[in-house]
Amino acid sequence: MASFLYRLGRLAFRRRGWFALIWVAVLAAVAIGGLNAQGTSDGDLSMPGIESQKAYDLIQQRFPGAAADGASAQVVFVAPHGQKVTAAANRAAVEDTVHALAGGPQVAGVADPFASQAVSKDGSTAYAVVTYKVADSDVTDASRQALDKAADQGRHDGLTVEMGGSATDGGDGPSGVSEVIGIAVAAVVLLVTFGSLTAAGMPLLTAIIGAAASLFAILLLGHPLGLTSDTLTLGMMLGLAVGIDYALFVISRYREERARGRAPQEAAGMAVGTAGSAVVFAGLTVVIALAGLSVVGIPTLTKMGLAAAGAVAVAVLVALTVVPMLLGFWPNAVLARKVRKAAKQQDHTPDNRRTSTLMPGRRPRSRPKTGPDATGPQREETKAAGRDNLGTRWARFVLRRPVTVLVASVVGLGALALPVASLHLGMPGDEALSKSTTQRRAYDDLAQGFGPGFNGPLTIVVDAKKAPDAKTAVNQISQRIGDSKGIVSVSPPSFDKTSDTAIFSATPSTSPTDAKTKTLVKTIRDHRPAIESGTSAAFYVTGTTALNIDVAAKVQSALVPYLAVVVGLAFVLLLVVFRSVLVPIKAALGFVLSVLAAIGLVVLVFQQGHAASLFGVQQTGPIMSLMPIFMVGIVFGLAMDYEVFLLSRMREAYAHGEDARHAVVSGFRHSARVVVAAALIMIAVFSGFIEEKGSMIKMIGFGLAAAVLLDAFVVRMAIVPAVLALIGEKAWWLPKWLDRFLPHVDIEGEALTPHASGDQDHDGAPAPDGQVRARV
């Protein structure tokens, strides 16, 4: 793989004009298609095989049109304090508002609250349901403006008017603020890391190119594939984060190769062949983990995983082609000032004219000097190679106190992971929004006027085809469910055209996300034989509340098996790459610690409310059902990034004769600074999304930022060197029989040794003086 990528890097450097034209054409095509597409949809959270989904499918079959996808809105009216909406003046204001609502564009009908008995018992609150002729995603801004105008009319008449429902949601796509924050912080980190504006700007430029391509592709495929706005935001989040990091790794290695005296084109090939190999491996792990989410069996999760995997794949492709292409246009601009001056001086000497930027494809046929007689960039690299930096000093500190560092790190992560034991999964709705939104205020007004369970009624479907008297059977089941503890009311049943299937609503006494509601649904289902006894009919519990409960249960049951699969995959991949048994075990255990600690922090903030206000969390409640399992997949790939880039340099030093302890120091000397910069960039990008409106994205942004922080700075920077110090030479032990069995994957660039020791001309063939051709 390293040889192929080496040649790809040289090709992109040499044929930079053609590569630029190809990428411009690709971006133009997806941009035009995406901007003219219908965009993302609201999607539907369905899961084949669960009871609530079976009941929903039965409703669609027996009640055509009842489960239509048309948008709806609930307009809530609250009378002034001490008054009732049924008073003459207030009633007239409500009816005028309902009339105005009915005249809005795309409106199919409005249910008058006085005719539909949608008035609270105390008369303080009423609501009108507005149904639309189109789906949620097709509601226009004009329709929403008409809704707002009608509500303002009611407010002008003295009523409190708030609105909820799918039609009021204008979408939670990327706002742009999060991306700007992440890019700004990344620019500062890159500038400090590289000390060059061009070197800092190039990873940002390439990441924006990759993220833009992914964004337009998701917009293009959004409506046909049913991709949600959360998918769009997640794709942007991952595309920016990994895009900056992958480019950072390649550019850093290019600078290192140039400092060793390599010609620009050769350095670009070596950078893509070495760092690019690690980028491919790291990106592949993320893609596999995200695509593997399809085994959970939730269509929405599958779509989000595949879209995010596509964004990561684009970021990898950009790092392997666009980065060397840009280096071809500006070969010296990304170098540090000292190295850039030395390179400029060297380019003007007679012996080095063939290595100038005017002829980047050629290089001198004599090996570069790296000893005391080295000049120019070589001397800078030789001096830097033996110089201590913060990475080496930290590595030596850990090597002197491995037990203390290891115990402190493991205990700390274990303490953060403890809240996972109380993890409560669910699907927060409008109650999780800020109180500044009309949707949240409408939710609170309905809960106060009609009870907490009004916002999440259970839908009961009764199949009475086998019953001798369908209506009697339905009434008996309705009465028995209504008598259940925790149910405050049931609606009159509605029958289908054949009068053998009925649906009715059962309103719980508790809110949709309350644990008591989950217990109530389980109790009703557990008592199914007694409730159905003597009726010859069958009933099913569905509705948004029951569906969310079923999805949460399914995801929670799949979390541990999926974690086992991901950890197993990590072990196999690292076993192949590093040809070691203990290194993969250590990496897998470290990954488990970091991801559990990150989920524990999410529970502390979003479920238990500790420091919630600092992160803009307005209401605590259950953790989004899809969030933990999705985070496991993403963090797995990100953790492998740091593991590969850190350990590959240690493995390289060990293979060149250094003992295990000195190899750790060498690895930190070359890679610690880059890994720290990459981690800070990812943390900045993910943290910016905490300010997004969507609960799912807010939680994922916080969770991923916490996971990267813990994995990079605690696991990889503390636990890894401490463990390697304790096990010593055994870290790189591999049984001979296993060594013969495992495939050889050249991720460290061993096949590029002929390139490192010899000189090739522009097409990779041996130089005329007899140097060896690279292995392919």
Side-chain angles (χ1 to χ4, degrees), residues 291-324:
L293 291 169
S294 58
V295 303
V296 179
I298 303 177
T300 298
L301 186 61
T302 299
K303 294 172 185 177
M304 291 180 69
L306 292 177
V312 174
V314 171
V316 172
L317 188 61
V318 168
L320 299 180
T321 58
V322 177
V323 170

PDB file of all heavy atoms in Angstrom, residues 291-324:
ATOM      1  N   ALA A 291     -20.205   2.239   9.044  1.00  0.00           N
ATOM      2  CA  ALA A 291     -21.032   1.400   8.171  1.00  0.00           C
ATOM      3  C   ALA A 291     -21.583   0.204   8.936  1.00  0.00           C
ATOM      4  O   ALA A 291     -22.684  -0.288   8.633  1.00  0.00           O
ATOM      5  CB  ALA A 291     -20.213   0.931   6.966  1.00  0.00           C
ATOM      6  N   GLY A 292     -20.836  -0.257   9.948  1.00  0.00           N
ATOM      7  CA  GLY A 292     -21.291  -1.389  10.747  1.00  0.00           C
ATOM      8  C   GLY A 292     -22.520  -1.099  11.575  1.00  0.00           C
ATOM      9  O   GLY A 292     -23.169  -2.020  12.089  1.00  0.00           O
ATOM     10  N   LEU A 293     -22.875   0.192  11.713  1.00  0.00           N
ATOM     11  CA  LEU A 293     -24.087   0.539  12.452  1.00  0.00           C
ATOM     12  C   LEU A 293     -25.343  -0.007  11.778  1.00  0.00           C
ATOM     13  O   LEU A 293     -26.403  -0.067  12.389  1.00  0.00           O
ATOM     14  CB  LEU A 293     -24.200   2.062  12.585  1.00  0.00           C
ATOM     15  CG  LEU A 293     -23.170   2.735  13.500  1.00  0.00           C
ATOM     16  CD1 LEU A 293     -23.214   4.238  13.334  1.00  0.00           C
ATOM     17  CD2 LEU A 293     -23.420   2.355  14.951  1.00  0.00           C
ATOM     18  N   SER A 294     -25.227  -0.401  10.520  1.00  0.00           N
ATOM     19  CA  SER A 294     -26.390  -0.935   9.815  1.00  0.00           C
ATOM     20  C   SER A 294     -26.868  -2.250  10.414  1.00  0.00           C
ATOM     21  O   SER A 294     -28.026  -2.630  10.219  1.00  0.00           O
ATOM     22  CB  SER A 294     -26.056  -1.137   8.330  1.00  0.00           C
ATOM     23  OG  SER A 294     -24.947  -2.012   8.187  1.00  0.00           O
ATOM     24  N   VAL A 295     -26.009  -2.946  11.159  1.00  0.00           N
ATOM     25  CA  VAL A 295     -26.414  -4.236  11.731  1.00  0.00           C
ATOM     26  C   VAL A 295     -27.381  -4.055  12.894  1.00  0.00           C
ATOM     27  O   VAL A 295     -28.038  -5.014  13.306  1.00  0.00           O
ATOM     28  CB  VAL A 295     -25.182  -5.037  12.210  1.00  0.00           C
ATOM     29  CG1 VAL A 295     -24.200  -5.246  11.072  1.00  0.00           C
ATOM     30  CG2 VAL A 295     -24.483  -4.333  13.368  1.00  0.00           C
ATOM     31  N   VAL A 296     -27.497  -2.828  13.434  1.00  0.00           N
ATOM     32  CA  VAL A 296     -28.403  -2.593  14.551  1.00  0.00           C
ATOM     33  C   VAL A 296     -29.852  -2.723  14.109  1.00  0.00           C
ATOM     34  O   VAL A 296     -30.723  -3.112  14.886  1.00  0.00           O
ATOM     35  CB  VAL A 296     -28.138  -1.211  15.177  1.00  0.00           C
ATOM     36  CG1 VAL A 296     -29.088  -0.938  16.332  1.00  0.00           C
ATOM     37  CG2 VAL A 296     -26.694  -1.130  15.658  1.00  0.00           C
ATOM     38  N   GLY A 297     -30.124  -2.409  12.836  1.00  0.00           N
ATOM     39  CA  GLY A 297     -31.472  -2.597  12.310  1.00  0.00           C
ATOM     40  C   GLY A 297     -32.367  -1.384  12.394  1.00  0.00           C
ATOM     41  O   GLY A 297     -33.584  -1.507  12.285  1.00  0.00           O
ATOM     42  N   ILE A 298     -31.797  -0.185  12.582  1.00  0.00           N
ATOM     43  CA  ILE A 298     -32.572   1.048  12.600  1.00  0.00           C
ATOM     44  C   ILE A 298     -32.245   1.829  11.326  1.00  0.00           C
ATOM     45  O   ILE A 298     -31.114   2.277  11.146  1.00  0.00           O
ATOM     46  CB  ILE A 298     -32.243   1.900  13.837  1.00  0.00           C
ATOM     47  CG1 ILE A 298     -32.484   1.102  15.112  1.00  0.00           C
ATOM     48  CG2 ILE A 298     -33.077   3.175  13.856  1.00  0.00           C
ATOM     49  CD1 ILE A 298     -32.109   1.840  16.370  1.00  0.00           C
ATOM     50  N   PRO A 299     -33.216   1.994  10.428  1.00  0.00           N
ATOM     51  CA  PRO A 299     -32.928   2.655   9.152  1.00  0.00           C
ATOM     52  C   PRO A 299     -32.292   4.029   9.304  1.00  0.00           C
ATOM     53  O   PRO A 299     -31.353   4.366   8.585  1.00  0.00           O
ATOM     54  CB  PRO A 299     -34.311   2.743   8.487  1.00  0.00           C
ATOM     55  CG  PRO A 299     -35.077   1.596   9.063  1.00  0.00           C
ATOM     56  CD  PRO A 299     -34.599   1.477  10.480  1.00  0.00           C
ATOM     57  N   THR A 300     -32.801   4.848  10.239  1.00  0.00           N
ATOM     58  CA  THR A 300     -32.239   6.192  10.428  1.00  0.00           C
ATOM     59  C   THR A 300     -30.777   6.119  10.844  1.00  0.00           C
ATOM     60  O   THR A 300     -29.937   6.869  10.344  1.00  0.00           O
ATOM     61  CB  THR A 300     -33.042   6.955  11.493  1.00  0.00           C
ATOM     62  OG1 THR A 300     -34.390   7.104  11.041  1.00  0.00           O
ATOM     63  CG2 THR A 300     -32.442   8.323  11.742  1.00  0.00           C
ATOM     64  N   LEU A 301     -30.449   5.218  11.760  1.00  0.00           N
ATOM     65  CA  LEU A 301     -29.075   5.055  12.210  1.00  0.00           C
ATOM     66  C   LEU A 301     -28.189   4.566  11.075  1.00  0.00           C
ATOM     67  O   LEU A 301     -27.046   5.006  10.923  1.00  0.00           O
ATOM     68  CB  LEU A 301     -29.031   4.071  13.383  1.00  0.00           C
ATOM     69  CG  LEU A 301     -27.684   3.894  14.083  1.00  0.00           C
ATOM     70  CD1 LEU A 301     -27.212   5.202  14.682  1.00  0.00           C
ATOM     71  CD2 LEU A 301     -27.780   2.831  15.164  1.00  0.00           C
ATOM     72  N   THR A 302     -28.714   3.661  10.275  1.00  0.00           N
ATOM     73  CA  THR A 302     -27.954   3.159   9.129  1.00  0.00           C
ATOM     74  C   THR A 302     -27.622   4.280   8.152  1.00  0.00           C
ATOM     75  O   THR A 302     -26.484   4.410   7.681  1.00  0.00           O
ATOM     76  CB  THR A 302     -28.758   2.075   8.401  1.00  0.00           C
ATOM     77  OG1 THR A 302     -28.993   0.980   9.305  1.00  0.00           O
ATOM     78  CG2 THR A 302     -28.013   1.562   7.188  1.00  0.00           C
ATOM     79  N   LYS A 303     -28.618   5.115   7.852  1.00  0.00           N
ATOM     80  CA  LYS A 303     -28.402   6.222   6.912  1.00  0.00           C
ATOM     81  C   LYS A 303     -27.399   7.221   7.457  1.00  0.00           C
ATOM     82  O   LYS A 303     -26.525   7.708   6.728  1.00  0.00           O
ATOM     83  CB  LYS A 303     -29.731   6.910   6.613  1.00  0.00           C
ATOM     84  CG  LYS A 303     -30.726   6.028   5.858  1.00  0.00           C
ATOM     85  CD  LYS A 303     -32.087   6.690   5.759  1.00  0.00           C
ATOM     86  CE  LYS A 303     -33.109   5.768   5.119  1.00  0.00           C
ATOM     87  NZ  LYS A 303     -34.461   6.378   5.074  1.00  0.00           N
ATOM     88  N   MET A 304     -27.512   7.545   8.742  1.00  0.00           N
ATOM     89  CA  MET A 304     -26.563   8.480   9.343  1.00  0.00           C
ATOM     90  C   MET A 304     -25.150   7.904   9.319  1.00  0.00           C
ATOM     91  O   MET A 304     -24.176   8.605   9.020  1.00  0.00           O
ATOM     92  CB  MET A 304     -26.980   8.804  10.772  1.00  0.00           C
ATOM     93  CG  MET A 304     -28.249   9.627  10.895  1.00  0.00           C
ATOM     94  SD  MET A 304     -28.695   9.996  12.610  1.00  0.00           S
ATOM     95  CE  MET A 304     -27.390  11.117  13.077  1.00  0.00           C
ATOM     96  N   GLY A 305     -25.033   6.613   9.628  1.00  0.00           N
ATOM     97  CA  GLY A 305     -23.726   5.975   9.628  1.00  0.00           C
ATOM     98  C   GLY A 305     -23.084   5.949   8.258  1.00  0.00           C
ATOM     99  O   GLY A 305     -21.900   6.271   8.099  1.00  0.00           O
ATOM    100  N   LEU A 306     -23.868   5.591   7.240  1.00  0.00           N
ATOM    101  CA  LEU A 306     -23.325   5.514   5.885  1.00  0.00           C
ATOM    102  C   LEU A 306     -22.964   6.900   5.354  1.00  0.00           C
ATOM    103  O   LEU A 306     -21.946   7.068   4.680  1.00  0.00           O
ATOM    104  CB  LEU A 306     -24.338   4.835   4.958  1.00  0.00           C
ATOM    105  CG  LEU A 306     -24.590   3.346   5.228  1.00  0.00           C
ATOM    106  CD1 LEU A 306     -25.667   2.807   4.298  1.00  0.00           C
ATOM    107  CD2 LEU A 306     -23.304   2.534   5.075  1.00  0.00           C
ATOM    108  N   ALA A 307     -23.796   7.893   5.648  1.00  0.00           N
ATOM    109  CA  ALA A 307     -23.488   9.259   5.201  1.00  0.00           C
ATOM    110  C   ALA A 307     -22.222   9.774   5.872  1.00  0.00           C
ATOM    111  O   ALA A 307     -21.367  10.388   5.220  1.00  0.00           O
ATOM    112  CB  ALA A 307     -24.667  10.179   5.487  1.00  0.00           C
ATOM    113  N   ALA A 308     -22.095   9.538   7.172  1.00  0.00           N
ATOM    114  CA  ALA A 308     -20.893   9.964   7.886  1.00  0.00           C
ATOM    115  C   ALA A 308     -19.659   9.218   7.384  1.00  0.00           C
ATOM    116  O   ALA A 308     -18.577   9.800   7.250  1.00  0.00           O
ATOM    117  CB  ALA A 308     -21.071   9.748   9.386  1.00  0.00           C
ATOM    118  N   ALA A 309     -19.823   7.927   7.089  1.00  0.00           N
ATOM    119  CA  ALA A 309     -18.710   7.149   6.535  1.00  0.00           C
ATOM    120  C   ALA A 309     -18.287   7.709   5.184  1.00  0.00           C
ATOM    121  O   ALA A 309     -17.085   7.775   4.871  1.00  0.00           O
ATOM    122  CB  ALA A 309     -19.123   5.680   6.401  1.00  0.00           C
ATOM    123  N   GLY A 310     -19.260   8.128   4.388  1.00  0.00           N
ATOM    124  CA  GLY A 310     -18.939   8.740   3.098  1.00  0.00           C
ATOM    125  C   GLY A 310     -18.148  10.024   3.268  1.00  0.00           C
ATOM    126  O   GLY A 310     -17.202  10.293   2.513  1.00  0.00           O
ATOM    127  N   ALA A 311     -18.510  10.842   4.267  1.00  0.00           N
ATOM    128  CA  ALA A 311     -17.782  12.084   4.524  1.00  0.00           C
ATOM    129  C   ALA A 311     -16.339  11.798   4.927  1.00  0.00           C
ATOM    130  O   ALA A 311     -15.414  12.509   4.515  1.00  0.00           O
ATOM    131  CB  ALA A 311     -18.489  12.891   5.610  1.00  0.00           C
ATOM    132  N   VAL A 312     -16.128  10.754   5.726  1.00  0.00           N
ATOM    133  CA  VAL A 312     -14.771  10.379   6.132  1.00  0.00           C
ATOM    134  C   VAL A 312     -13.972   9.875   4.927  1.00  0.00           C
ATOM    135  O   VAL A 312     -12.792  10.199   4.763  1.00  0.00           O
ATOM    136  CB  VAL A 312     -14.818   9.313   7.237  1.00  0.00           C
ATOM    137  CG1 VAL A 312     -13.414   8.802   7.557  1.00  0.00           C
ATOM    138  CG2 VAL A 312     -15.458   9.882   8.500  1.00  0.00           C
ATOM    139  N   ALA A 313     -14.611   9.079   4.073  1.00  0.00           N
ATOM    140  CA  ALA A 313     -13.929   8.571   2.872  1.00  0.00           C
ATOM    141  C   ALA A 313     -13.496   9.718   1.966  1.00  0.00           C
ATOM    142  O   ALA A 313     -12.393   9.696   1.395  1.00  0.00           O
ATOM    143  CB  ALA A 313     -14.851   7.610   2.123  1.00  0.00           C
ATOM    144  N   VAL A 314     -14.339  10.733   1.831  1.00  0.00           N
ATOM    145  CA  VAL A 314     -13.977  11.903   1.030  1.00  0.00           C
ATOM    146  C   VAL A 314     -12.785  12.619   1.657  1.00  0.00           C
ATOM    147  O   VAL A 314     -11.863  13.052   0.950  1.00  0.00           O
ATOM    148  CB  VAL A 314     -15.189  12.853   0.892  1.00  0.00           C
ATOM    149  CG1 VAL A 314     -14.758  14.174   0.261  1.00  0.00           C
ATOM    150  CG2 VAL A 314     -16.277  12.206   0.055  1.00  0.00           C
ATOM    151  N   ALA A 315     -12.763  12.733   2.981  1.00  0.00           N
ATOM    152  CA  ALA A 315     -11.645  13.386   3.674  1.00  0.00           C
ATOM    153  C   ALA A 315     -10.335  12.639   3.423  1.00  0.00           C
ATOM    154  O   ALA A 315      -9.277  13.265   3.230  1.00  0.00           O
ATOM    155  CB  ALA A 315     -11.933  13.468   5.168  1.00  0.00           C
ATOM    156  N   VAL A 316     -10.389  11.316   3.416  1.00  0.00           N
ATOM    157  CA  VAL A 316      -9.192  10.515   3.125  1.00  0.00           C
ATOM    158  C   VAL A 316      -8.712  10.775   1.701  1.00  0.00           C
ATOM    159  O   VAL A 316      -7.523  10.982   1.448  1.00  0.00           O
ATOM    160  CB  VAL A 316      -9.479   9.020   3.334  1.00  0.00           C
ATOM    161  CG1 VAL A 316      -8.307   8.168   2.843  1.00  0.00           C
ATOM    162  CG2 VAL A 316      -9.758   8.722   4.804  1.00  0.00           C
ATOM    163  N   LEU A 317      -9.648  10.768   0.749  1.00  0.00           N
ATOM    164  CA  LEU A 317      -9.292  10.994  -0.655  1.00  0.00           C
ATOM    165  C   LEU A 317      -8.682  12.377  -0.857  1.00  0.00           C
ATOM    166  O   LEU A 317      -7.723  12.540  -1.619  1.00  0.00           O
ATOM    167  CB  LEU A 317     -10.545  10.826  -1.525  1.00  0.00           C
ATOM    168  CG  LEU A 317     -10.334  10.845  -3.043  1.00  0.00           C
ATOM    169  CD1 LEU A 317      -9.413   9.710  -3.470  1.00  0.00           C
ATOM    170  CD2 LEU A 317     -11.676  10.736  -3.766  1.00  0.00           C
ATOM    171  N   VAL A 318      -9.218  13.359  -0.159  1.00  0.00           N
ATOM    172  CA  VAL A 318      -8.674  14.713  -0.262  1.00  0.00           C
ATOM    173  C   VAL A 318      -7.250  14.762   0.293  1.00  0.00           C
ATOM    174  O   VAL A 318      -6.358  15.372  -0.311  1.00  0.00           O
ATOM    175  CB  VAL A 318      -9.582  15.705   0.495  1.00  0.00           C
ATOM    176  CG1 VAL A 318      -8.889  17.049   0.660  1.00  0.00           C
ATOM    177  CG2 VAL A 318     -10.896  15.894  -0.241  1.00  0.00           C
ATOM    178  N   ALA A 319      -7.013  14.111   1.423  1.00  0.00           N
ATOM    179  CA  ALA A 319      -5.675  14.110   2.023  1.00  0.00           C
ATOM    180  C   ALA A 319      -4.653  13.447   1.110  1.00  0.00           C
ATOM    181  O   ALA A 319      -3.483  13.846   1.076  1.00  0.00           O
ATOM    182  CB  ALA A 319      -5.704  13.408   3.379  1.00  0.00           C
ATOM    183  N   LEU A 320      -5.065  12.447   0.353  1.00  0.00           N
ATOM    184  CA  LEU A 320      -4.137  11.693  -0.495  1.00  0.00           C
ATOM    185  C   LEU A 320      -3.896  12.347  -1.846  1.00  0.00           C
ATOM    186  O   LEU A 320      -2.889  12.047  -2.499  1.00  0.00           O
ATOM    187  CB  LEU A 320      -4.675  10.271  -0.714  1.00  0.00           C
ATOM    188  CG  LEU A 320      -4.851   9.404   0.526  1.00  0.00           C
ATOM    189  CD1 LEU A 320      -5.375   8.037   0.140  1.00  0.00           C
ATOM    190  CD2 LEU A 320      -3.547   9.272   1.292  1.00  0.00           C
ATOM    191  N   THR A 321      -4.802  13.207  -2.293  1.00  0.00           N
ATOM    192  CA  THR A 321      -4.665  13.790  -3.636  1.00  0.00           C
ATOM    193  C   THR A 321      -4.585  15.312  -3.627  1.00  0.00           C
ATOM    194  O   THR A 321      -3.718  15.889  -4.273  1.00  0.00           O
ATOM    195  CB  THR A 321      -5.849  13.346  -4.529  1.00  0.00           C
ATOM    196  OG1 THR A 321      -7.088  13.747  -3.914  1.00  0.00           O
ATOM    197  CG2 THR A 321      -5.851  11.838  -4.712  1.00  0.00           C
ATOM    198  N   VAL A 322      -5.481  15.965  -2.905  1.00  0.00           N
ATOM    199  CA  VAL A 322      -5.495  17.434  -2.918  1.00  0.00           C
ATOM    200  C   VAL A 322      -4.285  18.001  -2.187  1.00  0.00           C
ATOM    201  O   VAL A 322      -3.691  18.991  -2.628  1.00  0.00           O
ATOM    202  CB  VAL A 322      -6.807  17.963  -2.308  1.00  0.00           C
ATOM    203  CG1 VAL A 322      -6.783  19.488  -2.249  1.00  0.00           C
ATOM    204  CG2 VAL A 322      -7.999  17.495  -3.117  1.00  0.00           C
ATOM    205  N   VAL A 323      -3.916  17.381  -1.061  1.00  0.00           N
ATOM    206  CA  VAL A 323      -2.760  17.895  -0.304  1.00  0.00           C
ATOM    207  C   VAL A 323      -1.480  17.858  -1.137  1.00  0.00           C
ATOM    208  O   VAL A 323      -0.798  18.887  -1.268  1.00  0.00           O
ATOM    209  CB  VAL A 323      -2.600  17.126   1.028  1.00  0.00           C
ATOM    210  CG1 VAL A 323      -1.273  17.498   1.691  1.00  0.00           C
ATOM    211  CG2 VAL A 323      -3.747  17.434   1.970  1.00  0.00           C
ATOM    212  N   PRO A 324      -1.075  16.710  -1.723  1.00  0.00           N
ATOM    213  CA  PRO A 324       0.129  16.746  -2.567  1.00  0.00           C
ATOM    214  C   PRO A 324      -0.033  17.646  -3.794  1.00  0.00           C
ATOM    215  O   PRO A 324       0.955  18.210  -4.271  1.00  0.00           O
ATOM    216  CB  PRO A 324       0.327  15.280  -2.963  1.00  0.00           C
ATOM    217  CG  PRO A 324      -0.988  14.630  -2.760  1.00  0.00           C
ATOM    218  CD  PRO A 324      -1.620  15.343  -1.626  1.00  0.00           C
TER     219      PRO A 324
END
